Structures are given as structure tokens and as C-alpha cells.
């Protein structure tokens, strides 16, 4: 019986993995250049961690299960809650702000389609300990620089859930959460129906429906302030920094985010070429630590949808140059030479199938080897290896030091 992989999961072959790793390397490099350091959390957590504040949408999609000890656990659907739990457990006394980044797989029981998987990867950062507009400016710029460096065709939208929450301040929490979810889904019809059902006053409904339509340059902030009475000073200062950094964005007060923990600035990036699942980044400022037994610490962060980015990113990894060390009845010598070459940063492959020289060279062709080094009796006696350029077919006889120099000057893959 052939066993298929579970729905919504993927296998990655070497070419794809090399592309993924090259993209991941750019993300890590830029995050590290901002002083962010990598952390890792468990793949599964207590279910409660995600039910406290992540919101209905996430709860419905959770891979939740009981372990043999009867504990309620869940595969992580995202990493913000785990990172904050880690912060409360391990680092609450460390000097703030803390700058963490992660690259990890997440699990959501969603209907699979292009760009939407049940297992997917997020690259994210969390900046813990500041409620300043500067913290928002830093993480937004960081996300922007990554997407820019990857040459993605994207649009960044920035909003502030504080305005919507301010309007909804007298609405019961559960009902307000449904309002936020409908706005997040851009389900205006459903929103109007829900506002009617919860008997929202006419002026409140009108204000919400007008607010979520506000989108454009930073001048829409004034309209938003007039509409809601909310102080937009934080957003103005944030825009000043972003403008001075050359970050391009659209103010969009219809961003509600699918997760319930956001309290202030929120942002999303959308890209071309992905169809309906075009959101490649989501983030914002939030408060979670006090819900997990810590002090009330403001934080901000984002997660990039790694798989969606891989789908549209044109970056190609550097080709690795492979050298095949072929032999004629001298397997040990081939193993020894390959070992030496590898210690000098050269990717060397030797025969493990006990094949003839002809078949070893034919395999070198199959794996696109750039060179084949041949070891036979003649080579051992003369102390000179035969190196064959697989593209031109030309051969040279070289002593070890010259061979090393020749290969090193012709290969792209070197020991870092
Ligand atoms: P999120 O918007 O739920 O935010 O997820 C972040 C990104 O993960 C999305 O923008 C999307 O690109 C990608 N994503 C989500 N679901 C899937 C899926 N089923 N398949 C493929 N990609 C997917 C968060 O998770 C927050 N924790 C972000 C954050 C960090 N906020 C503050 N800090």
C-alpha cells in the first residue's frame, strides 16, 4: 500500500530546500543585523496557551489533542503566544527591550489551497518591553527591509486596532471580537448583519463602517481621529519615522487582524501572484504577558508567511560545485582524497555502489559534477591525480597542492 503524505503538508526536494534555505538566510541576516537573536520553542504547547487570547479563528483551526497522560495539548498555530510564554518563564528579569526572532513550522487545520497549508513556516520577530512608536517603527522597517531585499512585489498596509477598539469600548467583549473577525475577513455584509443583531446604535455602526473604509496616505489619520475621537499622535510619529526611512505604506484603518491579542498599531503586507492567499506578513503591537502570569509588558512583532514568500521570490541559490572522486579499484584512496578535499571546503562525492570507472563518470554527469578526479594505479605511482573538467571534457594531471588550488579557484562552494 502506498502511503500518501497528510493533506495540506508538503515534501521538499533538494532544489526546493536550497531555495528555501537561501531565502531563510536573507531573513536571518537582516534580523540579526538589527540585533535580534534566535530562539526556539516546543512544537506543541498546552492548549490553553492559545485559547486564552488568540481568538476564535485560531481555536477552530487548532490541531488539539490529548496526550497519554490526559493533558490537553496543541500543535502551535503561531509563535507569538509561545514566545511570550517563554519570556514570562525564562527572561522576564532580563534587560528590556528583548529582541527575539524565530523560524519554525506552524500548524493550522485550514482548507488547503495555493499558499494555504496545514503545516507552514513562519519567520518572525518579537520586540518585548516597549510601547513606543519607535518599537513599531523598528519592526515595520525590519519586515520591510526583508521583503525589499527579497525583491518582492508587495504593498504594506498599516492600521491601528485601537481606533476600532475605542469605538467598540461599550460593546461586550465577545460581540466586539466577532465584529473584529468580520472586519478581518472583509465580510461587510456579515458585519452589517451582526451590528444589527447586537443592536449597535446607528451612529456606532456608521462610524465603524466609515472607519474601515479609510485608506490612503497619512492624511486619512485626521479623518479617523475626527470620526473616533481617538488620539492619533502615536501613528503620526510612527509615520514620521517611516517616511524618513523611505518605507512606503498605505494607511488602512480596516485592518483588524485575525488574532485577538493586538492592542495598537497593526500591519499587513500583500503580494502579487498568490491569488486569494496574498498576505505575506502580519504583525502589530499586543499585550499577552500578563495573561500568562507575568507583568503587563507591551510588545510588538510580525511573522512573515515563509511558504508564500518562497512561492513568489525570484532569488536563486548559489549553485554548489560538486567534485566526484572516481577510482579504479582504489576505493580507500578515493575515500581519503575526498575527505581531504572536503576539509578544504570542497563538496566531494565518492562511489558507494562499487561501480566501474565508466559508470562512476556517467553518474558524475547525472549529478552535474563540475569536475571528476580520477584515482587509478597510474595516478598513485606518479603522485599526480587526473582531473577532468566535465563540461569541456579536458583533463589535467596535477599533484595534490595544485589540484586543490585548481579546484578551489574554480568552485563556488567554499567553507565559510
Ligand atoms: P498571522 O497573520 O496569523 O499572524 O500569520 C502570519 C503569516 O503567516 C500570514 O501573513 C501568512 O503569510 C502566513 N500564514 C498564515 N496561515 C498560513 C497557512 N495556513 N499557510 C501558509 N501561510 C500561512 C501571526 O501568526 C502572528 N503571530 C504574527 C505576529 C507576530 N504578530 C505579532 N508578532
Amino acid at each position: 500500500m502506498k502511503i500518501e503524505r497528510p493533506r495540506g503538508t508538503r515534501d521538499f526536494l533538494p532544489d526546493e530546500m536550497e531555495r528555501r534555505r537561501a531565502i531563510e538566510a536573507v531573513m536571518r541576516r537582516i534580523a540579526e543585523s538589527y540585533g535580534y537573536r534566535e530562539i526556539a520553542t516546543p512544537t506543541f504547547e498546552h492548549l490553553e496557551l492559545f485559547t486564552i487570547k488568540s481568538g476564535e479563528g485560531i481555536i477552530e483551526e487548532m490541531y488539539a489533542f490529548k496526550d497519554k497522560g490526559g493533558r490537553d495539548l496543541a500543535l502551535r498555530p503561531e509563535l507569538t503566544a509561545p514566545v511570550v510564554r517563554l519570556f514570562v518563564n525564562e527572561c522576564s528579569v532580563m534587560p528590556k527591550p528583548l529582541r527575539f526572532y524565530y523560524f519554525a513550522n506552524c500548524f493550522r487545520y485550514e482548507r488547503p489551497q495555493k499558499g494555504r497549508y496545514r503545516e507552514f513556516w513562519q519567520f518572525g520577530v518579537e520586540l518585548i518591553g516597549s510601547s513606543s512608536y519607535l518599537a513599531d517603527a523598528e519592526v515595520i522597517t525590519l519586515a520591510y527591509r526583508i521583503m525589499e531585499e527579497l525583491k518582492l512585489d508587495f504593498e504594506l498596509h498599516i492600521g491601528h486596532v485601537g481606533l476600532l477598539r475605542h469605538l467598540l469600548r461599550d460593546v461586550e467583549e465577545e460581540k466586539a471580537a466577532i465584529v473584529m473577525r468580520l472586519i478581518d475577513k472583509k465580510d461587510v455584509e456579515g458585519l452589517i448583519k451582526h451590528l444589527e443583531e447586537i443592536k449597535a446604535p446607528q451612529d456606532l455602526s456608521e462610524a465603524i463602517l466609515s472607519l474601515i473604509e479609510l485608506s490612503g496616505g497619512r492624511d486619512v489619520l485626521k479623518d479617523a481621529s475626527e470620526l473616533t475621537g481617538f488620539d492619533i499622535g502615536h501613528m503620526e510619529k510612527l509615520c514620521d519615522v517611516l517616511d524618513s526611512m523611505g518605507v512606503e505604506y498605505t494607511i488602512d484603518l480596516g485592518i483588524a487582524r485575525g488574532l485577538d491579542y493586538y492592542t495598537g498599531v497593526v500591519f499587513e503586507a500583500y503580494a502579487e501572484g498568490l491569488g486569494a492567499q496574498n498576505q505575506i506578513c502580519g504583525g502589530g503591537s499586543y499585550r499577552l504577558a500578563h495573561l500568562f502570569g507575568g507583568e503587563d509588558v507591551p510588545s510588538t512583532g510580525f511573522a512573515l508567511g515563509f511558504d508564500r514568500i518562497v512561492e513568489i521570490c525570484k532569488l536563486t541559490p548559489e549553485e554548489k560545485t560538486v567534485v566526484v572522486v572516481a577510482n579504479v579499484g582504489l576505493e580507500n584512496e578515493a575515500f581519503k582524497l575526498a575527505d581531504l578535499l572536503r576539509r578544504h571546503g570542497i563538496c566531494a562525492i565518492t562511489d558507494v555502489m562499487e561501480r566501474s570507472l565508466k559508470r562512476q563518470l556517467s553518474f558524475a554527469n547525472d549529478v552535474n559534477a563540475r569536475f571528476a578526479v580520477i584515482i587509478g594505479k597510474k595516478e598513485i605511482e606518479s603522485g599526480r591525480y587526473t582531473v577532468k573538467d566535465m563540461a569541456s571534457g579536458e583533463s589535467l594531471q596535477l599533484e595534490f597542492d595544485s589540484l586543490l588550488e585548481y579546484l578551489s579557484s574554480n568552485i563556488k562552494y567554499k567553507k565559510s
Side-chain angles (χ1 to χ4, degrees), residues 78 80 102 108 110 115-117 120 122 126 257 259 261-262 279-284 286 301-303 305 308:
E78 58 110 35
T80 304
Y102 47 81
R108 294 185 192 176
E110 295 191 272
R116 187 157 75 185
Y117 309 103
F120 62 98
Q122 284 189 347
E126 309 298 342
R257 304 285 298 129
L259 294 144
Y261 46 63
Y262 295 101
Q279 198 194 114
I280 56 167
C281 177
Y286 58 90
F302 66 80
R308 294 181 186 177

Side-chain angles (χ1 to χ4, degrees), residues 311-329:
E311 217 149 303
I312 51 168
C313 181
K314 304 262 180 340
L315 185 103
T316 45
E318 267 211 357
E319 219 175 279
K320 275 188 191 153
T321 309
V322 174
V323 176
V324 163
V325 179
N327 76 90
V328 191

Side-chain angles (χ1 to χ4, degrees), residues 248-288:
E248 288 178 26
Y249 57 87
T250 299
I251 295 292
D252 180 350
L253 295 156
I255 302 181
R257 304 285 298 129
L259 294 144
D260 278 355
Y261 46 63
Y262 295 101
T263 48
V265 170
V266 282
F267 56 99
E268 292 179 345
Y270 316 105
E272 289 296 319
L274 282 164
Q277 305 306 314
N278 66 345
Q279 198 194 114
I280 56 167
C281 177
S285 57
Y286 58 90
R287 285 172 185 268
L288 268 179

